[in-house]
Amino acid sequence: MNQGPIVTVLHSDSVPDVEYMTRIAQRATVRYTEENGLADALRGAEVLFVYDFGTRALPGAWHAADRLRWLHMGSAGVDPAMFPELRGSDVVVTNTRGVFDSAMAEYVLAQILAFAKDFSGSLELQQRHEWRHRESERIAGRTALIVGTGSIGRHIARLLRAVGMSIRAVGRRERLADPDFGVVGTDLHHELARADYVIAIAPLTDETRNMFDADAFAAMPPHARFVNVGRGELVVTDDLVAALCVGSIAGAALDVVDPEPLPKDHPLWELPNVRITPHNGADVIGWRGEVVEAFTDNFDKWIAGHPLDNVVDKRLGYVPS
C-alpha cells in the first residue's frame, strides 16, 4: 500500500529508471507525469522532482501546487523555477549541483583543444585523402576567462589550469587571489579584452540575460573563441552571428543556444567556425542515474528533517558559493 508523502516526478520522454527510484518509492507515493499532466499531479504533492529540467511548464501548473514544500531541479540551472509566484512562496528549491562538474570541465577542455589543434580541418583533409602538413596552436600560456564562478566554473578552472592555461574569471564579487580562478573581476568588458578563450557558465538571471551582446563580442580580441556551456539566453544570438560573420571573434563552441532546439534553417549551422552540440556537453554515460541519486540523497535528508544540500537563494537564482 502506498504511504508517506506524495512525490511528483516531472519527466519528458525518458522516465527515471525504477531501480534508481526504489529508495523513494519505499517511503513515498510517487506520481510520474509529463508536462500536460503536471497540474493534476501537483495537487496534494509535497515534493516535486523536475527530472525534465528543460521544462517551461512550471508557471502554468503552479496554481495546483497546494501542498508543495520542496522542489528539486535535476540540473544545475534553476531558471525554469525562478518565476515570481515560486520566488515569493515558502517552497524550498534545490538543484543537482556537483553531478555535472567534472564532465562539463572535460567538455570545455575538449572544445578548446579542438579549436587549437583544428581537428575538424584534419578530418576534412582525411576525408579527401589529402596529406598536408600544418601547424597548430598551443593552449599552454593562453588565457581562459571563465564567466561564472560557481561549482562548474571552478572545476573548469582547475582542469584548464592543470594543462597550463592562465585563468581569470568574472563574478559578482571581486577577488584577487582565488585558489582556482586567480583574479576574479566584475567588469566583463575589461576582462574580455585580454581573453583568448571565453567560457560562459553563469547562471541565467535577470542580470546575466543577454550579457554577451554586440558590445561584449566587440570587446574580445579577434583571435578569441567563445564557449557557451551556461544557457543560450546569456547570448544575443543575432549579435553572436554577426560577430562571427565579420570576424570580431574567431569561433564559437555552443552546447546551449537560443532558441533551443536550434531551427534547421538557422545561420549558426552553416558557419565554418562554429561547433554545436545539443545541450549534452555534460551528459556522460550514467548521468541519469547520478541525477536521481543526488535527489534521493537529498530526499533522505528531507525525510529525516535534516538541512538539504544545494539550497537555492531564490533572490539570486542560484546556490551561493
Side-chain angles (χ1 to χ4, degrees):
M1 184 176 67
N2 291 332
Q3 57 185 351
I6 297 173
V7 175
T8 294
V9 180
L10 174 61
H11 62 90
S12 55
D13 55 342
S14 176
V15 181
D17 193 293
V18 172
E19 179 183 352
Y20 295 131
M21 291 293 295
T22 299
R23 280 164 54 196
I24 305 292
Q26 289 172 344
R27 293 169 293 172
T29 299
V30 180
R31 295 176 178 169
Y32 294 97
T33 183
E34 296 186 42
E35 287 186 340
N36 57 5
L38 179 58
D40 288 339
L42 272 177
R43 291 187 174 91
E46 296 182 57
V47 181
L48 173 61
F49 174 26
V50 182
Y51 186 70
D52 176 16
F53 46 77
T55 184
R56 290 293 182 266
L58 295 177
W62 186 249
H63 65 277
D66 52 357
R67 296 190 61 194
L68 198 66
R69 296 165 54 195
W70 170 35
L71 184 153
H72 180 83
M73 292 292 298
S75 60
V78 297
D79 44 284
M82 292 297 103
F83 52 95
E85 293 82 0
L86 192 152
R87 276 181 154 158
S89 73
D90 294 329
V91 174
V92 175
V93 177
T94 58
N95 74 351
T96 312
R97 179 178 179 174
V99 166
F100 303 103
D101 293 0
S102 61
M104 189 60 81
E106 292 172 0
Y107 173 91
V108 170
L109 175 59
Q111 290 289 10
I112 290 174
L113 285 168
F115 278 125
K117 306 308 177 185
D118 190 21
F119 292 139
S120 60
S122 295
L123 181 60
E124 291 175 8
L125 291 172
Q126 177 183 336
Q127 291 171 337
R128 296 203 300 266
H129 299 190
E130 184 174 345
W131 184 279
R132 184 196 305 173
H133 181 269
R134 298 180 304 140
E135 296 178 343
S136 63
E137 304 171 15
R138 293 183 186 272
I139 64 170
R142 297 296 182 117
T143 297
L145 177 67
I146 300 172
V147 182
T149 56
S151 180
I152 296 177
R154 193 167 291 279
H155 274 72
I156 293 171
R158 291 171 183 165
L159 186 57
L160 299 187
R161 189 181 295 279
V163 296
M165 299 191 76
S166 175
I167 306 300
R168 297 179 71 90
V170 171
R172 294 180 68 248
R173 294 183 294 106
E174 186 176 43
R175 282 162 275 169
L176 300 180
D178 185 276
D180 297 314
F181 298 114
V183 173
V184 179
T186 57
D187 186 334
L188 174 64
H189 290 191
H190 174 76
E191 295 294 339
L192 288 172
R194 65 181 74 193
D196 300 304
Y197 293 91
V198 177
I199 297 97
I201 187 56
L204 181 62
T205 67
D206 292 341
E207 290 72 29
T208 62
R209 188 181 300 274
N210 294 334
M211 67 190 304
F212 290 99
D213 56 9
D215 290 340
F217 292 121
M220 293 168 59
H223 69 270
R225 279 76 171 236
F226 177 66
V227 181
N228 190 6
V229 289
R231 282 290 186 265
E233 295 90 337
L234 298 175
V235 179
V236 180
T237 303
D238 289 346
D239 292 355
L240 172 60
V241 171
L244 290 162
C245 287
V246 303
S248 294
I249 61 174
L254 309 172
D255 188 49
V256 289
V257 291
D258 181 26
E260 284 188 17
L262 195 65
K264 291 183 180 297
D265 60 350
H266 199 281
L268 278 173
W269 289 115
E270 302 298 328
L271 293 177
N273 50 351
V274 173
R275 297 183 178 89
I276 296 170
T277 52
H279 205 149
N280 67 341
D283 295 352
V284 296
I285 295 170
W287 72 273
R288 296 181 185 276
E290 293 177 20
V291 166
V292 178
E293 184 177 10
F295 169 63
T296 302
D297 289 345
N298 238 1
F299 184 79
D300 292 342
K301 293 180 170 64
W302 186 77
I303 285 288
H306 296 157
L308 296 174
D309 293 332
N310 300 332
V311 175
V312 173
D313 184 326
K314 292 189 288 186
R315 295 174 298 108
L316 298 175
Y318 53 86
V319 178
S321 298

